Amino acid sequence: MQYLEIRGGKKLSGSVTISGAKNAALPVIAATILSDKPVTLTNLPDVVDIRTLLTLLTMLGGTVEHKGSVAHIDNSSINSHKAVYEIVSQMRASILVLGPLLTRFGECEVSLPGGCAIGQRPIDLHLKALEAMGAEIAIESGYVHAKAPNGLHGAKIIFDKITVGGTENIVMAAAMAKGTTTIINAAKEPEIVQLCEMIADAGVSIKGIGTNELVIEGTDGIPLQFKNVDIIPDRIEAGTYLCAGAITQSEIRLEKVKAEHIRASIDKLESMGFSFDISGDTITIHPAEHIKPVSLITIEYPGFPTDMQAQFMAVAALAEGESLIEERLFENRFMHVSELNRLGADIWLKGSTAAVKGVGTLHGADVMATDLRASSALVLAGLVAEGTTKVRRIYHLDRGYDNLEGKLTALGADIIRKKDTK
């Protein structure tokens, strides 16, 4: 098993280039199923989740040539409509093939994602919306069996709660449906904007891109022909490196980043005493005189992202005062708290709120990552902890961060990937 060994206390400096957004690339890859013509994707991040979804396309019968940040995809030869458990269990985003497979081929079988029950990070909103569009859905032996014998038709979809994956699945399903689909209470993250723009550039009429109401005119079964797609920068990776500069009180520069996509993170860091220079696609963070405590609540975009909560908690652990962090989107998003406390943080939980009392110093220890963003929070804490920190279970990190240790090393961190010899 691999782990990261970090010797803390190093100042960072220099610049880091932000990779393409994993959460934008995944729905874009799934959307290529809507086409029977080749399409090229560029600026793909080199992360496990991307390779997993591309593997799924090949298992469905598509052809993929993937090298570095570029993938050439041809789904004209898809001959299977079953997304098997072995792949879907590795990554929840595999559920995104449900909408495009069903609308293009009229049937599909997709394993329930991640081996989890529908009640947890549910897909029931996806299924209810597809049924409103004419799908016949049954769940048997851990698989969603979906059929649309007469094709999907447009419908008015009102999501009871904002769902990113649900919005993406229904946008893709509606693209080849018959008639008009209206999505009310749609998610409006930048990743959804890119998906909608990709589909609109293929000739599909989509009104309301970037708002919570989307109106989509389907092609009535005619496959789309996509232009090449360049994946947008990863706003969560960008926010993570800003937190790396903040926690180490270092001046670093981010390149190839969209400041408007990370405005919530920038605003919170400014409230903690940090300052920024923003010019075009570059952002420079400057150290604070002292780190002020912060109060934040995770909420859907453009609010503060749940995917940055853990990283900010690591920074808040060194603030002068008590920070309050409320998690409103996921019930199990505080699993990193006990591991941060192992490093000397002083964090208390009450329900969905964490009280973070700033401490003067963190101390190196062995810690275990529990999920993707928790992993990065532990790495951030390790950058400033006295002594050596070993972060284990870093396969979580590899799912979503492109060469994290390499980029941090280039900034001056003392971090190396090692392998247990046991």
Side-chain angles (χ1 to χ4, degrees):
M1 192 75 73
Q2 293 183 332
Y3 64 93
L4 291 178
E5 183 175 283
I6 309 166
R7 297 184 187 276
K10 302 288 186 180
K11 283 284 187 180
L12 306 183
S13 63
S15 64
V16 58
T17 299
I18 301 305
S19 300
K22 172 184 77 84
N23 289 338
L26 292 172
V28 164
I29 291 169
T32 64
I33 294 172
L34 299 170
S35 179
D36 59 1
K37 299 289 191 298
V39 60
T40 297
L41 310 182
T42 56
N43 200 35
L44 291 171
D46 183 14
V47 298
V48 171
D49 279 8
I50 297 300
R51 296 192 290 273
T52 299
L53 193 54
L54 291 174
T55 297
L56 178 54
L57 290 186
T58 64
M59 294 177 70
L60 296 172
T63 300
V64 176
E65 296 178 12
H66 180 210
K67 185 176 182 180
S69 62
V70 179
H72 304 286
I73 301 171
D74 185 348
N75 287 323
S76 61
S77 57
I78 284 181
N79 53 21
S80 170
H81 311 139
K82 184 173 183 177
V84 297
Y85 172 79
E86 288 75 15
I87 291 290
V88 182
S89 64
Q90 298 177 39
M91 182 183 62
R92 288 192 54 83
S94 300
I95 196 65
L96 293 176
V97 302
L98 176 62
L101 281 176
L102 181 59
T103 197
R104 180 175 165 193
F105 298 104
E107 61 177 351
C108 65
E109 293 178 52
V110 179
S111 172
L112 290 172
C116 62
I118 284 185
Q120 228 178 3
R121 299 182 69 179
I123 63 165
D124 58 327
L125 298 178
H126 306 224
L127 304 184
K128 182 180 177 182
L130 289 171
E131 286 178 327
M133 298 174 71
E136 300 172 2
I137 293 175
I139 298 177
E140 301 172 358
S141 303
Y143 280 80
V144 177
H145 296 254
K147 293 183 179 180
N150 301 312
L152 295 178
H153 58 72
K156 185 174 183 179
I157 307 298
I158 303 176
F159 283 126
D160 294 334
K161 59 180 291 186
I162 295 173
T163 163
V164 173
T167 300
E168 291 166 341
N169 242 330
I170 302 310
V171 165
M172 290 185 282
M176 285 180 62
K178 181 178 183 179
T180 304
T181 298
T182 301
I183 304 174
I184 306 294
N185 203 26
K188 50 189 179 182
E189 275 75 359
E191 297 81 11
I192 289 175
V193 170
Q194 173 149 67
L195 175 66
C196 289
E197 289 175 343
M198 170 192 184
I199 292 173
D201 285 345
V204 176
S205 173
I206 303 182
K207 297 178 181 177
I209 295 176
T211 75
N212 58 10
E213 181 172 333
L214 298 170
V215 180
I216 304 161
E217 301 288 342
T219 65
D220 195 8
I222 300 173
L224 310 187
Q225 187 167 347
F226 293 117
K227 299 176 182 178
N228 295 342
V229 181
D230 189 58
I231 303 300
I232 60 174
D234 193 318
R235 60 193 174 97
I236 305 304
E237 184 191 36
T240 300
Y241 283 108
L242 289 182
C243 286
I247 200 168
T248 60
Q249 286 280 28
S250 301
E251 180 177 300
I252 63 172
R253 184 173 69 255
L254 276 56
E255 298 181 348
K256 198 173 183 183
V257 62
K258 290 185 179 292
E260 64 269 25
H261 291 175
I262 57 171
R263 177 49 60 186
S265 292
I266 291 172
D267 288 348
K268 287 298 180 184
L269 285 170
E270 284 182 332
S271 75
M272 298 177 80
F274 300 95
S275 59
F276 297 86
D277 290 326
I278 301 173
S279 177
D281 64 354
T282 67
I283 299 176
T284 302
I285 182 171
H286 302 285
E289 288 187 18
H290 58 90
I291 302 177
K292 301 176 184 177
V294 66
S295 293
L296 61 87
I297 299 171
T298 63
I299 193 173
E300 295 88 354
Y301 187 85
F304 188 87
T306 181
D307 280 350
M308 285 301 305
Q309 176 253 106
Q311 298 92 312
F312 266 75
M313 188 177 291
V315 179
L318 294 176
E320 296 183 6
E322 185 174 271
S323 299
L324 293 177
I325 298 176
E326 183 178 351
E327 174 58 61
R328 290 190 177 178
L329 298 182
F330 293 110
E331 66 275 10
N332 292 324
R333 212 73 196 264
F334 282 146
M335 291 187 289
H336 47 278
V337 168
S338 59
E339 299 302 296
L340 286 172
N341 283 343
R342 281 177 56 81
L343 295 169
D346 186 359
I347 306 170
W348 295 86
L349 291 178
K350 185 175 182 180
S352 60
T353 300
V356 187
K357 186 177 180 180
V359 296
T361 307
L362 297 177
H363 304 278
D366 276 25
V367 291
M368 191 170 294
T370 53
D371 60 68
L372 172 57
R373 305 308 172 185
S375 307
S376 61
L378 297 178
V379 170
L380 293 176
L383 294 177
V384 292
E386 291 184 346
T388 300
T389 299
K390 294 180 181 179
V391 181
R392 302 187 183 277
R393 288 188 180 176
I394 58 171
Y395 54 82
H396 291 295
L397 272 176
D398 295 337
R399 284 187 45 240
Y401 283 96
D402 186 346
N403 190 25
L404 180 70
E405 71 268 23
K407 290 182 177 181
L408 286 173
T409 296
L411 291 171
D414 187 347
I415 178 172
I416 187 170
R417 181 177 294 242
K418 291 189 172 181
K419 197 170 188 177
D420 276 321
T421 56
K422 298 178 183 178

